[in-house]
Amino acid sequence: MSSARVSPVPPGSQDLLAGDVRRRRRVQRAWFALADALGYEEVIPPTFEYEEVFTRTAGPELASRLIRFVDRDGRLVALRADFTSAIARMVATRLAGAPSPLRLSYAGKVYRQEPEGVGRRRELFQLGAELIGEPSPEADVEVLRMAIGVLKALEVRDFQINLGDIRFIRPLLAGLDAAAAEALRTAIDRKDRAALASGARAFGAPAAVARALVELPELIGRGDVLLRARALASGREAEEAIERLRAVDALLTPEERSHVVYDLGEIRGLGYYTGIQFEVYVAGVGRAVGYGGRYDGLLALYGADRPAVGFALETDALADLLAGEGR
Amino acid sequence: MSRPLRIALPKGRMMDEALRLFEALGAPVDPAARDSRRLILPSAGGRFEFLPVKSGDVAVYVEAGVADAGVVGLDVLEEGDPDVLRPLDLGFGACRLAVAAPEGTPYPWLPGGGTPRVATKYVESARAFFAGRGVQVELVRISGSVELAPLLGLSDWIVDLVQTGRTLAENGLVVLEEIRASTARLIVNRASHKLRLEDHQRLIADLAAAAERAAAGGG
C-alpha cells in the first residue's frame, strides 16, 4: 500500500463549506432579488473562452493573469477572467438582433493567475450587471444605484464609490509613446505628485497639460472638485468628462451622493472603459471590492456597435465582511 | 472623534526622522508611551497611532489596510512594488541604490566573458536594472553584510544602498554605477484614502508643509 497522501488543492484554490457557502449564497440572493426587480435577466457565459475575448481590450494587466490552455484544435483558450468581456462577446453574437436596451445580470466565478507563493485566491466569485444600448447619464446612474443597492441590502453602511471619467485623463496622455504613457498612468494611479511633475518635464508636456497632471492627485473630493477640475480640463473630451460627471451628480439622491467621491485620477479599471469608471470601497477591506464603468467601444470589436455600462462586485469580499461581523 | 489614523513606521533612523516631522506638525508621541514596550504608540492628542515595524514590512501593513498610511524608502517600495498610493516625497532618508565592487573590478562586462555574479538584498530592482542595460548577470540573494560578498568571492559585484559611502570605503569598495536615488515616501492604503479622505488630505498637506519647513531649515 502506498503511504503517499493525496495532495491538497493547488495554491489559490479552496473548498468552501457551511458558513462560507451560506454567506456567498446570501449575497447572491440579495443581488438577484434586486436585479430581477429592475428587469435584469441572468446570463451564464461559458467557463472558458478563446483567449482573445479577454486579451483584445481588457489591457495587459488582465492578459498577463489569464489561466490558459491549448484546446484540441490547437487554439488558445482561457478560463473566464472577466464577465464583461465574455458578455460583450455574447451580446455581439448570440444577442446581435435583440432590441436595446438589454439588461443582463450574472453571478459566478472568475479565474485569474496570481504571483506564485503569495497564496492569493485564483478563483473569485463576482456578481454584476451590464446595461447595453443606453448612452445616457441615467444609465450610468442606474448602474451606480445597483451597486449601492446591493451594499444597502446587505446592511453595509460604511462604503464609498470612487468615481472618475477616463476622458479627463486620456487627452493628457495623447501623443506619448507607450512607455512614457505607461509611466504617467502608473504615477496617476499612485497619486505620486513627484513622479507626475518629473514625468511631465521629462516628456516635454505643454504647460497646461503639465499643470493638470500635477493637480490630478488633488482632484478628488465631493461635487465641488468638479468645478475645480473644469478649470483644468484640456479640450473638448475632458470637458465632456466633467459634464457627464456633473450630470450624474445631479441625478443622485443626497443619500447616494454621500457615498460618492469624485476622483479625476481614477484610472484603475480594465482597458476597455471609455467614459465614467468607478471603484467601490468598504470599511474593513483594504482594497476595492467592486468596479465598473462605461465601455462604449467594446461591442464594436465584435461588429455590434452599442454603448454599454456595467459593474462587478467581489462576492467573496462581501461574504467575508458578513463573517467578520458575525452575521 | 473618529479613530486615530494608524501610521506604520520603519524602526531605526528613518522612524526617528519621521517622528520629528510628526512632532513638527503638533503630534509628538505621547510622552507616557515613549519609553514603554508598547507595540502601538499613540500620539499626544490622539490624532495618530504609530506602528513601529521592520522597514520591509511597512508596505505589507499599509497594502492590507491594517495601517492607514506609512513611511518607507523608495528603494523598498520599488523592490516590493506594493499596491498603495504614494502621494508625498518626504525628502529625508536620502540614499542611492548602486552597483559597487572592489576598486579595479571590471564593469559592465568581465574580461574573457563569463556571467558576472551579483550579490544583493534588492533582487527585483537589480534584475530590472541589468535587464534594462542588456547585461546578463546571475543574482545571489543574501540578507545582510552585502559588502562582504565580493571580498569573499561570493560575487563579482554587489547592488546595495549607499548612504554616505563610508561602509563601502571601509571595505575597499567603490560605486560603479548609480541605479536610482531614494528618499522616504508617505504611502497610503487605497481604501482608507477613500473612506477617510478628509483625514488623509489633511495629513498629506500637513506633512508636505512640515517637510518643506524642515528642508528650508537645512534639515
Side-chain angles (χ1 to χ4, degrees):
Chain A
M1 238 179 64
S2 164
S3 64
R5 280 202 233 157
V6 177
S7 3
V9 297
S13 65
Q14 60 177 344
D15 296 320
L16 294 171
L17 305 172
D20 287 329
V21 174
R22 213 162 42 236
R23 283 182 289 270
R24 278 165 181 76
R25 292 299 180 216
R26 191 171 143 205
V27 172
Q28 289 172 338
R29 272 198 303 275
W31 162 235
F32 283 121
L34 183 105
D36 293 353
L38 290 166
Y40 281 71
E41 291 222 61
E42 186 184 353
V43 292
I44 306 181
T47 310
F48 48 91
E49 298 250 3
Y50 290 122
E51 65 141 16
E52 66 257 25
V53 170
F54 306 110
T55 53
R56 264 182 177 177
T57 55
E61 209 275 325
L62 188 68
S64 70
R65 294 174 62 192
L66 295 180
I67 300 180
R68 300 175 166 89
F69 53 97
V70 181
D71 202 3
R72 283 179 304 205
D73 60 1
R75 287 184 70 180
L76 266 182
V77 170
L79 293 183
R80 179 177 59 227
D82 173 43
F83 272 97
T84 300
S85 303
I87 290 174
R89 195 265 313 134
M90 181 194 280
V91 167
T93 51
R94 287 288 306 281
L95 293 170
S100 288
L102 276 171
R103 289 183 164 83
L104 305 175
S105 64
Y106 61 83
K109 279 181 178 178
V110 296
Y111 306 85
R112 293 177 182 179
Q113 209 57 272
E114 290 288 348
E116 209 176 338
V118 184
R120 268 197 297 235
R121 291 171 183 161
R122 288 194 283 181
E123 44 178 354
L124 297 164
F125 277 101
Q126 290 189 341
L127 58 83
E130 315 293 345
L131 171 48
I132 289 150
E134 264 294 339
S136 63
E138 284 79 4
D140 295 348
V141 170
E142 180 171 325
V143 163
L144 283 168
R145 197 161 273 157
M146 287 178 96
I148 293 172
V150 186
L151 296 171
K152 296 245 169 191
L154 294 171
E155 294 171 45
V156 175
R157 280 183 191 86
D158 196 358
F159 66 90
Q160 286 291 342
I161 293 185
N162 201 57
L163 177 62
D165 190 311
I166 193 65
R167 290 172 298 175
F168 189 81
I169 296 172
R170 221 161 36 193
L172 301 175
L173 306 178
L176 291 174
D177 66 65
E182 189 51 39
L184 284 178
R185 288 183 71 91
T186 302
I188 292 168
D189 178 47
R190 290 174 177 161
K191 305 209 181 294
D192 188 339
R193 201 173 179 151
L196 284 168
S198 64
R201 262 197 313 278
F203 308 132
V209 171
R211 201 159 65 90
L213 280 172
V214 173
E215 287 302 317
L216 261 185
E218 317 288 327
L219 291 180
I220 174 169
R222 303 290 172 184
D224 56 312
V225 86
L226 298 176
L227 296 175
R228 264 199 295 139
R230 193 160 58 179
L232 289 162
S234 44
R236 187 80 206 103
E237 196 183 11
E239 281 163 16
E240 278 169 12
I242 303 298
E243 271 165 39
R244 173 52 64 103
L245 290 173
R246 284 173 56 97
V248 166
D249 188 67
L251 288 166
L252 294 172
T253 66
E255 156 60 18
E256 288 164 345
R257 209 172 282 134
S258 73
H259 289 290
V260 174
V261 166
Y262 295 98
D263 181 358
L264 277 307
E266 168 64 53
I267 198 174
R268 296 234 94 192
L270 296 171
Y272 47 62
Y273 289 123
T274 55
I276 66 148
Q277 62 177 68
F278 59 91
E279 288 178 292
V280 182
Y281 289 96
V282 172
V285 185
R287 57 194 168 71
V289 301
Y291 8 79
R294 180 162 281 287
Y295 51 97
D296 289 347
L298 187 54
L299 275 80
L301 282 174
Y302 298 98
D305 192 1
R306 291 208 247 183
V309 57
F311 82 102
L313 286 176
E314 304 268 358
T315 310
D316 302 295
L318 297 177
D320 290 348
L321 196 72
L322 298 182
E325 294 173 2
R327 294 203 267 152
Chain B
M1 196 174 128
S2 56
R3 104 185 142 71
L5 277 183
R6 185 169 288 177
I7 318 281
L9 298 175
K11 285 181 196 169
R13 195 160 62 185
M14 198 173 271
M15 174 157 152
D16 298 339
E17 294 195 63
L19 286 176
R20 266 203 292 279
L21 271 194
F22 279 98
E23 197 171 336
L25 59 86
V29 174
D30 188 334
R34 196 181 292 268
D35 295 313
S36 68
R37 286 166 168 261
R38 290 165 69 165
L39 295 175
I40 296 174
L41 307 173
S43 76
R47 183 173 166 199
F48 305 109
E49 279 178 346
F50 303 112
L51 182 66
V53 297
K54 292 202 98 173
S55 85
D57 296 340
V58 168
V60 177
Y61 283 90
V62 175
E63 186 175 3
V66 175
D68 300 287
V71 173
V72 65
L74 180 64
D75 51 311
V76 179
L77 278 182
E78 292 292 319
E79 180 67 17
D81 198 20
D83 188 16
V84 293
L85 303 177
R86 305 181 181 184
L88 194 60
D89 181 348
L90 295 170
F92 63 80
C95 59
R96 52 214 168 103
L97 191 68
V99 188
E103 193 141 27
T105 306
Y107 179 86
W109 289 282
L110 298 182
T115 305
R117 288 162 68 89
V118 182
T120 185
K121 283 187 271 190
Y122 298 88
V123 173
E124 292 307 322
S125 303
R127 195 197 314 280
F129 172 72
F130 286 113
R133 298 278 263 94
V135 178
Q136 201 165 278
V137 299
E138 196 178 310
L139 293 165
V140 184
R141 184 197 297 271
I142 55 176
S143 49
S145 304
V146 181
E147 58 283 347
L148 289 180
L151 306 179
L152 299 173
L154 178 63
S155 73
D156 299 289
W157 314 324
I158 63 170
V159 165
D160 205 12
L161 276 190
V162 183
Q163 259 158 358
T164 58
R166 210 175 70 200
T167 314
L168 285 187
E170 280 170 359
N171 289 288
L173 305 183
V174 292
V175 170
L176 298 172
E177 188 169 4
E178 191 169 309
I179 295 178
R180 84 167 69 85
S182 170
T183 46
R185 303 298 159 114
L186 176 72
I187 60 173
V188 176
N189 174 265
R190 288 182 180 275
S192 176
H193 182 254
K194 309 306 184 286
L195 292 162
R196 304 188 59 182
L197 183 62
E198 285 80 13
D199 291 336
H200 281 288
Q201 285 179 325
R202 205 176 131 216
L203 169 66
I204 293 166
D206 286 356
L207 277 177
E212 209 164 291
R213 280 198 306 273

